[in-house]
Each structure stands twice: as C-alpha cells, then as structure tokens.
Amino acid sequence: MIDGLLFDKDGTLFDFRISWGRWAQGFLAQIAQDAAHAERLGRAIGFDPTTGSFAPDSPVIAATAADIAAALAPELPGVTVAELTDRIDASAAQAPMSQAVPLAPLMASLRERGLRLGVATNDSEAPARQHLQNHGITACFDFIAGYDSGYGAKPGPGMCLAFARQLGLDPARVAMVGDSRHDLEAGRAAGMRTIAVLTGIARREELAPHADVVLTDIGEIPGWLSGLQA
C-alpha cells in the first residue's frame, strides 16, 4: 500500500528542540551586539535565548532561511535579507543535529522493505545535505530537496510531487512524514498519505486533524507499515 516515504528533516529526522535550540542560541549570540539585542532578535523569530525554547509560531520551525532572515532584518540595520540568508545557511550547515531515533538502521530497514525514500525540507538544500552527510545517511535517500531546489516550499506540494514524479511513484502510495502542519498540508495537497510525528514543537491535537496517523517518532513507522499489510 505504501511504495515511498518522504521525510521532513527538522523535527522529524532530527529532534527539533535539541538541534535547533542550540543553533539559535549560538547564531543569535554571533550576530547580536549584546544580550539585550540577542533577546530582541530572539523575539523576532519566536525564540527565547535564555531558555532555548521556541514559540509555536516561530518561523524557525517550518519556514525558510529567507523567511527567518526577513524576520531578523528589522533588528539588523545595514544587513540585507539576502546577506542574512547566506549567513543563516552557512551557520545552519554546521548546526549539530540530534537524531530523533537511530537513523541509519531505521532507513536500512525501510529500504529492505523495498521503499523509496526522500527528504523534503524548508531548510536550504545545501545545509540539509550537510546534515545528512554528517550522520552518514545521505545514500539512504533517493531524493533530497530544500525550499531552494526549484520545487517551492511547503505547504505547497511541489517537493512532494517532484519526489513522486522523479521516482515514478503514485502519490496515493506515498506517505509524507512530518512534525508540522506545513508538512502534512503539503502531503495532502499532493494526494499523499500523511504521518505526523511528535519530535517537533507541534502537539498531537494540532497535527491529528491533518494526519492519517500520529506517531511518537519515526521509529514507529515500521510497525505502522506492518499494520497496513495485516
């Protein structure tokens, strides 16, 4: 019933709070003039530098690097959005990602089932590839796209449809896996099944109306697939 799985990256493959909380604290410290400035920058992107926590509507959760740059730019006179986007991408590529579950064995088990695997992220493609490479799992995926890869950003369906098209899959036999409404809405718009996971910021009750199933993390996907075949 399922021939392919398309994964979001942040909050899905990697635990969002741990991975991006550390990054945001470090990045804001780099670009801020002082602690008070860092707090203002944090508020602009829905992040508390003191606690390392994100607001539910933070653009860091599901928006693009350009969106994050646009939110920060008013607090950084003299720095263009394009320049800031480049700085975010360069910094994000070095962000230490924390795996939501052990990824290499999980991806190997999914490929053993004959599934085609992909990544569709609203991160830029270059840092996304760097994160996957840092964890030795790039080769697990048949398709890797970011918001700047030419297919548009989520919640638009472009990346989802490109994955299905390039691998010759029926979208109805693909599941989009993500931790945000953007991920699930993109999958639904592409005619795919949708799997929500709780390793991001959004809560179960926010995701459930947009998902075929809500799982604790992607480690539960093999069990869900087995249930479909029962």
Side-chain angles (χ1 to χ4, degrees), residues 10-157:
D10 303 316
T12 302
L13 296 176
F14 301 107
D15 184 284
F16 188 89
R17 292 175 180 83
I18 297 174
S19 302
W20 289 103
R22 292 184 298 195
W23 171 82
Q25 285 178 316
F27 182 70
L28 295 184
Q30 290 175 10
I31 65 174
Q33 298 170 356
D34 51 38
H37 190 208
E39 287 187 12
R40 294 199 303 274
L41 291 167
R43 284 196 295 272
I45 58 170
F47 176 73
D48 186 334
T50 302
T51 65
S53 61
F54 290 92
D57 60 350
S58 168
V60 180
I61 296 171
T64 68
D67 293 328
I68 298 167
L72 290 170
E75 296 290 343
L76 295 164
V79 181
T80 68
V81 171
E83 291 169 343
L84 193 51
T85 300
D86 288 342
R87 291 191 65 176
I88 290 170
D89 280 342
S91 175
Q94 305 306 315
M97 296 287 103
S98 177
Q99 297 185 27
V101 301
L103 293 175
L106 174 61
M107 297 304 148
S109 72
L110 294 173
R111 292 191 71 90
E112 287 172 2
R113 290 172 175 260
L115 295 169
R116 308 302 295 272
L117 306 179
V119 175
T121 175
N122 272 358
D123 197 357
S124 305
E125 183 178 335
R129 287 185 175 275
Q130 186 64 56
H131 295 156
L132 299 175
Q133 179 179 321
N134 290 347
H135 290 268
I137 56 172
T138 306
C140 296
F141 298 100
D142 305 293
F143 174 93
I144 300 168
Y147 85 94
D148 56 352
S149 300
Y151 312 116
K154 297 173 290 186

Side-chain angles (χ1 to χ4, degrees), residues 7 97 100 104 106 145 150-151 155 159 171 193 206:
F7 294 90
M97 296 287 103
L106 174 61
Y151 312 116
M159 286 187 277
R193 303 284 290 272
E206 297 173 53

